[in-house]
Amino acid sequence: MDIHFNNKKQVGSWSLYLALLVLIALGAVAANYLLIEVRNQTLDISLWGFLVFSVVLFYFGGFNYVDIALSAEKVDVKFYNLFPLGRQYNRILVPTDKIKKIKVNKGLGVIGRKLKIEGVIQGRHALFPSVGLAACNKHQLQQLQLFIDTLTKEK
């Protein structure tokens, strides 16, 4: 069974939503300092908390562009984080006979869903970086889970 998909369509909308969330939080903090003369410490802390939360969600929420090609011979995963600063393109290419464990970790709803791959490379146990799947749709996740199920049944 060969499966190939990417989440190019979903990535654009997720990137826009997350960037708007950060801009709204930043605008609220700026408006608080520019427009409100009387300082309310509770309001300041809550607005800064909202800003920090939105940036952390954008960076660590598992929103990645992924291009996944799965076949009986190899697992090829190309990905990068949607956060615009420090973006780095990564690739995981592992033969299926070298994979020890592959699974999709559930997160909190959409946030935090990750693909974890463990394998044996040159006789040593290898933990590959987690790939965020929060920007993937339900059909893509079902295809991935179906491949994982067939791979684990073969072993």
Side-chain angles (χ1 to χ4, degrees):
M1 170 193 322
D2 291 342
I3 297 172
H4 183 266
F5 66 86
N6 62 25
N7 61 347
K8 188 181 280 189
K9 293 178 184 176
Q10 296 89 357
V11 163
S13 60
W14 275 109
S15 182
L16 179 67
Y17 296 147
L18 293 169
L20 283 175
L21 182 69
V22 170
L23 285 175
I24 289 169
L26 188 61
V29 169
N32 181 36
Y33 284 109
L34 293 175
L35 302 176
I36 300 173
E37 301 239 352
V38 179
R39 293 287 172 240
N40 184 350
Q41 192 172 16
T42 307
L43 182 62
D44 284 347
I45 291 172
S46 63
L47 288 176
W48 278 102
F50 178 57
L51 178 62
V52 168
F53 170 77
S54 60
V55 170
V56 167
L57 175 69
F58 198 175
Y59 190 72
F60 294 109
F63 297 97
N64 289 345
Y65 167 79
V66 294
D67 185 6
I68 298 177
L70 307 168
S71 67
E73 298 86 32
K74 65 180 177 172
V75 172
D76 187 9
V77 181
K78 302 170 195 166
F79 64 99
Y80 63 84
N81 196 347
L82 293 183
F83 193 73
L85 302 175
R87 186 177 290 174
Q88 184 177 1
Y89 181 80
N90 297 307
R91 183 177 188 190
I92 299 171
L93 181 62
V94 184
T96 54
D97 59 337
K98 300 289 185 182
I99 292 177
K100 189 174 184 180
K101 185 175 170 185
I102 182 170
K103 67 177 181 174
V104 176
N105 283 355
K106 305 292 185 210
L108 298 170
V110 173
I111 301 167
R113 237 182 277 156
K114 295 186 180 199
L115 174 68
K116 293 201 173 240
I117 302 173
E118 295 179 28
V120 178
I121 304 297
Q122 295 179 353
R124 295 185 176 197
H125 184 74
L127 293 172
F128 296 99
S130 298
V131 180
L133 299 175
C136 291
N137 64 21
K138 197 174 196 178
H139 177 68
Q140 293 167 342
L141 292 172
Q142 288 172 348
Q143 281 185 326
L144 183 60
Q145 191 61 46
L146 180 66
F147 178 79
I148 290 171
D149 292 341
T150 57
L151 186 66
T152 54
K153 285 179 184 176
E154 289 176 1
K155 290 188 176 190

